[in-house]
Amino acid sequence: MTADKTTVTMTPTDTGGTTTFTFTNKAGSREATINSATLTWTDPTTKAATTQTVNVAAFTLPAGLTCAAVAANPSASCNFNDAGTTYGDRTLTRTITNSELFGKVLAANPSVTGLPVTVQFNNANALPFTFTSVAASEGGGVVTAPPKPAIIVNNSSYQTNPSTPISNTLSVTVSAGAAAGVGLKQLILEVTDAKGIVDTTTYSSTQETVTFNIDTTKYPDGALKLRAIAIDALDRRGDREHHHGECRKPGQPQHPPYESCEWRRGDRDYTYRGSIPAEQHPFTFVDGKTTIEVVDSGDRIITVQQADIVKVNDGLWEARSQIDLNSPQYINGTYTLRAKANVQLSGATSASTVMTASTFVNKSRVDEAPALNILMPAYYGGSNTLRPVLTRKSAVVVQASDSNNVRQINLRFVCNPAEVLPGQNCNTNVYSYNIPVNKAGIQYRLFNTGVLMDGEPYLPDGYYTMRATATDDTNFSSFREMKVEVNRAKNGIAGLGYNRATTFELAASKLTPAGAQWQIDGETVNETRIIELFYNSNADGIAREIPSAIGIDTSRAGGSAITSGRVVFPAAGTYATSFVVQDMTTGVVEFYDGANIIATPKP
């Protein structure tokens, strides 16, 4: 990957300016989808390494093959088996606006000169840039205001009557109030007890809005002073005080019988005793639920869940939910977690929505771990949630990729006693099958489970969780799980017979036979999902577990023939094409193995 410039200069109002990138896929490389860029720099103030992921308009860089179609369309794909197709570098250029690519760098560094920033698209090489931003003028121009933090006490007893003593958890929401477009460096809640001791170590965040739950039992009786301190990315500082009378209930043992608490408003110099009429906002949750959203760095919603709101104690409510960060939609990167709830304030005519947000970095699959996908079987049914069915004729196809060697891929079937079929004997043993790989890059492997399930250990019919795990040479692993049904009695896909090979000759070919076509007898009745497995002999010969290449048809209509088409052999050797087919009505998966065809030079 190369770029037409190495320096970028932007201002907060700059939406123009572009950089042209040239992407080259070397001869023989597989096609690649470019859909994101990772920008890395060192924070000028904290010296901490900072990484941001930016989503860009996706495009496909064709495989390292060239053919006649490329002359008219640089994005055209070439079929390896077509005459005239040869290995060759493939190059595409893309022009990307600086605001799209460097917008997050500008937001975090609104005034910086010569900041080194590296840009890496997917797995391409990283490019160095020198980034300069020009802050808005502070003399006669627009002046960026310092943060104006705010403090809200959430306890219902306080909202109903602020003079009510609090003797357990004090729930406080703090907002930084930073100026628009200015990042936040730190938000601190400073708690000072009645003896003047300041606690600043416990309550700190880098989020714009955060809720702290304060255990008041660790402080002595008396008024608590709450002070919010916000420091933005320009090192501007803002603070706000809020005093709370934290008193034990009258007559409590070991404590004097406080009759009132001392209060002071943060924006005045007066001292009050008793209640403060301001900020009294009793409320109720409208539907008793909170909506939880996970948003990626491109502001796209990835997951939406709802959870029940449960009151833990006075002033503290909880809503619990689980998110599987190993799911395919979660790549490594930065996400925002948003929680929303509808509340009805006392005296209000309509409901209001309150929201809090927090960012997190997903490293559930660390950068060094292999990427892994189960390509076959697939979920099916109207909501794509039904268990695929494995029989004595089934096979499982997985894809793993890593810049280091993928050492092995392991397939396991685990029985959960809570999810079994009637009469199923849920053996707690793990049924495990392993294929050594010891190669880097993208690797496809086939597990012939139809043969394996009748061996030792014997895999009984029933419900299982099928787990695939890929491990590389650095001992990092990633896994995928799928719920499946093992049912030997359901074998057979309607309309299909055997996979037969037919050879043909070509006068211009130096080989005999010149090629072959593999086709399954009959036609499909239902919709099917098909993986075509191509085999080409090499120094290791042909192994059904290791296809040379694959093709995937995610949805083939009923009434279709399944065929490889005419495959012209490029060199002497052994060739085969097999198919793994799933009936998307019954869920049954079957492996249609193709015969080996040996091509030799003509006499």
Side-chain angles (χ1 to χ4, degrees):
M1 182 180 71
T2 60
D4 66 345
K5 65 181 65 172
T6 58
T7 60
V8 173
T9 301
M10 296 180 66
T11 67
T13 58
D14 178 21
T15 58
T18 61
T19 301
T20 299
F21 295 88
T22 301
F23 301 86
T24 300
N25 214 2
K26 304 301 290 183
S29 302
R30 294 183 180 275
E31 70 175 27
T33 299
I34 308 298
N35 54 18
S36 66
T38 300
L39 287 80
T40 305
W41 68 92
T42 300
D43 187 281
T45 302
T46 65
K47 308 303 180 185
T50 303
T51 299
Q52 290 281 4
T53 299
V54 178
N55 292 301
V56 298
F59 66 95
T60 298
L61 187 60
L65 300 170
T66 185
C67 56
V70 177
N73 179 14
S75 300
S77 60
C78 299
N79 190 331
F80 180 77
N81 294 314
D82 289 347
T85 297
T86 60
Y87 292 110
D89 293 355
R90 296 296 300 276
T91 299
L92 290 179
T93 60
R94 285 293 184 272
T95 298
I96 302 175
T97 61
N98 292 338
S99 59
E100 176 184 3
L101 192 59
F102 293 94
K104 292 187 177 182
V105 183
L106 177 64
N109 302 277
S111 180
V112 69
T113 301
L115 177 67
V117 178
T118 61
V119 177
Q120 181 180 20
F121 290 86
N122 294 80
N123 293 323
N125 57 291
L127 292 180
F129 286 86
T130 301
F131 182 82
T132 298
S133 57
V134 180
S137 170
E138 300 204 13
V142 178
V143 177
T144 303
K148 297 180 180 179
I151 300 175
I152 299 176
V153 176
N154 301 316
N155 294 61
S156 59
S157 60
Y158 170 81
Q159 294 169 349
T160 304
N161 184 358
S163 64
T164 302
I166 295 175
S167 57
N168 42 39
T169 300
L170 178 63
S171 177
V172 178
T173 297
V174 184
S175 177
V182 178
L184 179 68
K185 187 173 294 184
Q186 191 174 18
L187 180 61
I188 302 168
L189 178 63
E190 183 182 271
V191 181
T192 304
D193 66 20
K195 294 184 178 180
I197 298 175
V198 180
D199 181 357
T200 60
T201 60
T202 307
Y203 311 105
S204 178
S205 176
T206 58
Q207 307 306 314
E208 175 71 24
T209 302
V210 64
T211 297
F212 297 111
N213 295 311
I214 302 170
D215 179 9
T216 64
T217 61
K218 69 178 184 179
Y219 300 108
D221 292 344
L224 290 179
K225 182 174 72 174
L226 308 178
R227 182 187 183 201
I229 304 169
I231 304 172
D232 66 16
L234 300 177
D235 286 324
R236 293 176 178 272
R237 182 186 180 98
D239 64 88
R240 175 71 182 270
E241 288 187 359
H242 185 107
H243 292 246
H244 180 73
E246 198 284 329
C247 298
R248 307 294 173 134
K249 294 182 179 180
Q252 204 170 18
Q254 295 113 313
H255 297 286
Y258 291 94
E259 295 181 358
S260 63
C261 299
E262 184 174 305
W263 298 79
R264 202 180 87 192
R265 294 294 300 272
D267 54 354
R268 293 188 176 92
D269 294 328
Y270 302 104
T271 298
Y272 296 88
R273 286 188 177 275
S275 64
I276 300 176
E279 301 179 358
Q280 295 185 16
H281 299 294
F283 70 92
T284 56
F285 291 106
V286 174
D287 52 9
K289 295 182 180 296
T290 184
T291 300
I292 300 171
E293 299 176 344
V294 180
V295 184
D296 68 10
S297 56
D299 204 32
R300 289 185 287 266
I301 297 178
I302 305 299
T303 299
V304 178
Q305 296 182 0
Q306 280 199 329
D308 293 330
I309 299 173
V310 178
K311 185 174 182 179
V312 178
N313 56 43
D314 185 29
L316 180 62
W317 288 262
E318 285 185 352
R320 294 175 176 266
S321 186
Q322 292 183 339
I323 298 171
D324 182 6
L325 296 179
N326 285 311
S327 297
Q329 66 265 37
Y330 288 106
I331 62 174
N332 287 345
T334 302
Y335 295 85
T336 299
L337 182 67
R338 297 195 301 229
K340 302 177 182 179
N342 295 322
V343 298
Q344 182 74 40
L345 298 177
S346 176
T349 58
S350 61
S352 302
T353 300
V354 294
M355 183 185 75
T356 186
S358 177
T359 62
F360 66 91
V361 177
N362 179 24
K363 288 188 177 180
S364 59
R365 299 185 305 276
V366 296
D367 294 339
E368 294 84 355
L372 181 66
N373 293 286
I374 298 175
L375 302 181
M376 186 72 89
Y379 291 116
Y380 72 103
S383 57
N384 295 319
T385 57
L386 299 181
R387 293 174 182 255
V389 180
L390 303 181
T391 74
R392 282 194 175 100
K393 297 181 180 180
S394 296
V396 174
V397 181
V398 299
Q399 177 197 62
S401 61
D402 196 275
S403 55
N404 296 312
N405 275 346
V406 178
R407 190 170 70 226
Q408 66 181 27
I409 302 175
N410 178 271
L411 190 71
R412 295 186 175 193
F413 291 85
V414 182
C415 180
N416 179 0
E419 295 180 323
V420 294
L421 287 174
Q424 177 180 351
N425 180 17
C426 189
N427 192 330
T428 56
N429 292 336
V430 174
Y431 303 91
S432 180
Y433 313 107
N434 195 73
I435 294 181
V437 180
N438 294 319
K439 291 182 180 180
I442 300 177
Q443 304 296 328
Y444 299 97
R445 292 296 182 270
L446 177 138
F447 289 84
N448 196 342
T449 54
V451 172
L452 297 171
M453 67 172 57
D454 282 344
E456 173 61 36
Y458 180 81
L459 182 64
D461 287 355
Y463 280 168
Y464 295 89
T465 296
M466 182 179 72
R467 169 181 282 199
T469 303
T471 305
D472 64 14
D473 277 352
T474 59
N475 286 324
F476 286 106
S477 297
S478 56
F479 68 91
R480 287 285 181 268
E481 288 186 341
M482 174 179 285
K483 294 183 177 181
V484 299
E485 177 185 352
V486 174
N487 193 325
R488 293 164 174 80
K490 289 186 178 181
N491 65 290
I493 293 182
L496 299 183
Y498 293 99
N499 182 11
R500 303 184 188 276
T502 304
T503 61
F504 58 87
E505 303 288 347
L506 294 174
S509 175
K510 297 180 179 180
L511 304 175
T512 180
Q517 175 174 319
W518 287 264
Q519 181 168 333
I520 302 177
D521 294 339
E523 294 182 345
T524 60
V525 174
N526 302 319
E527 176 193 358
T528 54
R529 175 184 173 92
I530 303 165
I531 288 187
E532 190 172 359
L533 306 167
F534 304 98
Y535 297 93
N536 185 349
S537 63
N538 50 39
D540 300 325
I542 281 185
R544 286 297 183 261
E545 295 79 14
I546 312 175
S548 306
I550 72 167
I552 303 177
D553 189 337
T554 57
S555 179
R556 181 80 62 88
S560 300
I562 299 178
T563 176
S564 66
R566 287 165 61 91
V567 179
V568 178
F569 301 144
T574 304
Y575 299 86
T577 299
S578 300
F579 304 93
V580 180
V581 183
Q582 181 173 2
D583 189 311
M584 301 307 284
T585 298
T586 65
V588 171
V589 179
E590 296 210 345
F591 176 45
Y592 294 84
D593 196 9
N596 289 348
I597 302 297
I598 301 175
T600 60
K602 288 181 178 178

